Amino acid sequence: MSKVERRVRSLVSEDGEMRDALEVVLDRATDGEVRWVDVRDEITSGQWGRLIEKEILVDGETGFALADPDEIEAGMSEDDGSADGDVETPETTSWSKWDKLAGVATLGAFVGYAVGPVRDTIAGAIDVVLGPLLNVVPFYVVIMVIALGTGMYSTLLRAGLMDMEKMSQYQERMQDIQERRKDAKDRDDDEALDAIQEEQMDAMGDQLGMFKEQFRPMVWIMFLTIPAFLWMFWVIGYRGSTSAYPEIAAQELVVPLAGTVTWDTGIVGPIQMWILWYFLCSMAFTQLVQKSLNIQMSPSTS
């Protein structure tokens, strides 16, 4: 349901006379526009103001334009459930066995941060691929390559695995409840407020549904990212662990504000220089990939 239809249903449900006012406005609209002088004999200034306030009437060329005539008519149609809860709750996406396996593998990879043998095994395997790069380009370039790769697949995974339509439906339902709650408060309708409060409690399951939609691609992103991050962890050494490439960990570089540092220097508390550089590159490349591929990462309501 669009915003316009939802607003029309809200107006009609709280004031039955608004249906007649809307019919007058629709009937008098010429080329999608209507002026106050055309309808003032049949509707009140209060009704006219409510239509403008709710953005059912918006600024036009010569008067006020109908936001969407089709949606206005749809909102005026008889519907037994129009007074409360027009927005349907989408079905929650179920995880496949591969999603669950990726989740288990991700938890196992997390152990590598604390357990040396696990970290050495995972990082050693990744070193077969990334290790030769250290002999070709500087370490900061290797980090940039990793950040570009993680930015690329994280964007594509989120776009491919997260159902933006369902996310929009979740948000639209919550927005619908909030708008009807606000309208009920404005007209001091305690009975409607109680009913909306109960509906809002029932809708808490939507939050879980949204979380599952968002977390599904995150499992795959972490499944691919953690091994690469463990490899950098292993190369430099972190929190007392021995560096696999001490000559790289001891390399000096000059950075703004901090001056001359090495890759294992703590820049912000325990956050070492290599971690800061990776996150800066990752954020920049992720934004670049999203803009280049024109991929929308946030849901939009109709």
Side-chain angles (χ1 to χ4, degrees), residues 169-185:
Q169 289 175 342
Y170 284 127
Q171 289 194 355
E172 189 174 353
R173 186 181 184 214
M174 296 305 296
Q175 184 179 357
D176 173 65
I177 292 174
Q178 290 171 1
E179 287 188 2
R180 287 190 287 110
R181 182 183 180 87
K182 180 178 181 296
D183 289 339
K185 279 186 176 180

Side-chain angles (χ1 to χ4, degrees), residues 54-194:
K54 289 293 186 179
E55 296 183 354
I56 295 170
L57 292 178
V58 296
D59 289 337
E61 295 290 336
T62 59
F64 285 91
L66 300 175
D68 190 323
D70 293 336
E71 295 299 337
I72 292 173
E73 290 183 1
M76 293 168 59
S77 64
E78 295 292 341
D79 188 343
D80 293 338
S82 63
D84 82 330
D86 291 298
V87 182
E88 295 181 359
T89 304
E91 294 183 4
T92 303
T93 301
S94 59
W95 284 27
S96 69
K97 65 177 181 179
W98 300 111
D99 296 328
K100 296 173 183 177
L101 285 173
V104 173
T106 299
L107 291 176
F110 264 121
V111 176
Y113 287 106
V115 181
V118 175
R119 179 174 62 250
D120 294 341
T121 300
I122 296 175
I126 300 299
D127 191 57
V128 174
V129 178
L130 297 178
L133 284 176
L134 297 174
N135 299 321
V136 179
V137 295
F139 185 59
Y140 73 86
V141 176
V142 176
I143 294 179
M144 291 175 67
V145 171
I146 295 173
L148 176 59
T150 56
M152 178 72 75
Y153 66 67
S154 64
T155 299
L156 295 177
L157 283 169
R158 289 180 64 192
L161 296 178
M162 193 161 63
D163 192 330
M164 290 299 175
E165 183 177 352
K166 286 187 178 180
M167 292 289 290
S168 296
Q169 289 175 342
Y170 284 127
Q171 289 194 355
E172 189 174 353
R173 186 181 184 214
M174 296 305 296
Q175 184 179 357
D176 173 65
I177 292 174
Q178 290 171 1
E179 287 188 2
R180 287 190 287 110
R181 182 183 180 87
K182 180 178 181 296
D183 289 339
K185 279 186 176 180
D186 290 342
R187 62 178 189 270
D188 295 325
D189 191 339
D190 293 334
E191 184 177 347
L193 279 172
D194 291 339

Side-chain angles (χ1 to χ4, degrees), residues 7-26:
R7 288 167 181 165
V8 170
R9 289 190 182 279
S10 176
L11 281 177
V12 173
S13 66
E14 67 184 60
D15 184 356
E17 293 183 358
M18 287 302 299
R19 184 186 302 276
D20 296 331
L22 285 163
E23 289 177 350
V24 171
V25 169
L26 285 170

Side-chain angles (χ1 to χ4, degrees), residues 243-279:
S243 169
Y245 291 83
E247 68 280 5
I248 292 178
Q251 284 178 354
E252 292 186 345
L253 59 157
V254 179
V255 298
L257 301 179
T260 301
V261 298
T262 58
W263 286 112
D264 57 1
T265 299
I267 300 297
V268 182
I271 300 177
Q272 294 181 344
M273 182 61 212
W274 67 273
I275 300 176
L276 180 62
W277 177 241
Y278 167 79
F279 279 114

